[in-house]
Amino acid sequence: GAKCCTGGIQLTIGDIKRIKALGYSPHDFLEFDEQNRVFRIKGMDGRCYFLGKNFECTIWENEPLVCRLLPFKIVEVSYSDEPIMRLKPVVECPGREKGTGIDKKRIEADATTFLHENQRLIRDIKKKGKKGVIDQL
């Protein structure tokens, strides 16, 4: 069903660089969310730009960090020396209870990387603006 594969998936600079290295132009797949000041994947007909005709991810090996966190999403973050986050299962996931076991260390590492990269992106947007960030890619 690929219910998670919609437009609007948040990207980090690392995500954008990995996707760009595959030969995609950021202008083709990228949009800027002015309200939240983050980059997102464009939607096409309500689907993720990278969702294939047979509901396969066309960039699977380089998928965004948010996609790697599935079947979880980050619902709460607090900051001290290191970010502390709470993850929540996406219960409407059609693949729930059908895949391999969850690697908790990988999920934690990906979530922490996402938070760090997102913080860096927010700082870069404040300093350089969205055009400056896109130009540095």
Side-chain angles (χ1 to χ4, degrees):
K3 291 181 179 183
C4 305
C5 302
T6 62
I9 294 168
Q10 187 175 341
L11 297 171
T12 67
I13 291 296
D15 293 331
I16 297 166
K17 287 180 179 181
R18 281 191 308 278
I19 295 168
K20 185 179 171 193
L22 297 173
Y24 292 96
S25 167
H27 300 288
D28 291 338
F29 69 87
L30 198 61
E31 63 187 12
F32 187 71
D33 177 342
E34 294 285 347
Q35 182 177 358
N36 295 303
R37 304 189 59 79
V38 297
F39 289 101
R40 299 187 182 279
I41 293 177
K42 285 182 183 177
M44 293 180 56
D45 300 322
R47 299 163 40 136
C48 174
Y49 182 87
F50 298 108
L51 185 62
K53 292 180 181 171
N54 296 319
F55 297 106
E56 79 283 2
C57 179
T58 59
I59 58 168
W60 179 260
E61 295 296 321
N62 295 282
E63 67 184 338
L65 285 167
V66 168
C67 298
R68 283 193 235 160
L69 292 176
L70 293 171
F72 299 100
K73 64 181 178 179
I74 300 170
V75 292
E76 184 181 336
V77 180
S78 60
Y79 295 94
S80 58
D81 292 337
E82 284 293 318
I84 300 168
M85 68 197 100
R86 190 167 67 87
L87 300 175
K88 176 181 177 184
V90 180
V91 294
E92 63 274 4
C93 179
R96 185 173 177 217
E97 298 180 7
K98 295 179 183 171
T100 59
I102 293 171
D103 182 344
K104 292 179 183 179
K105 288 185 181 190
R106 183 192 59 86
I107 293 284
E108 181 180 331
D110 286 345
T112 301
T113 300
F114 173 79
L115 291 176
H116 288 163
E117 286 189 15
N118 195 47
Q119 286 176 313
R120 188 170 43 245
L121 174 61
I122 290 168
R123 282 192 303 270
D124 285 352
I125 290 171
K126 285 181 182 176
K127 286 181 190 175
K128 303 172 188 174
K130 82 174 176 185
K131 182 173 177 1
V133 172
I134 291 173
D135 289 345
Q136 83 181 14
L137 300 170

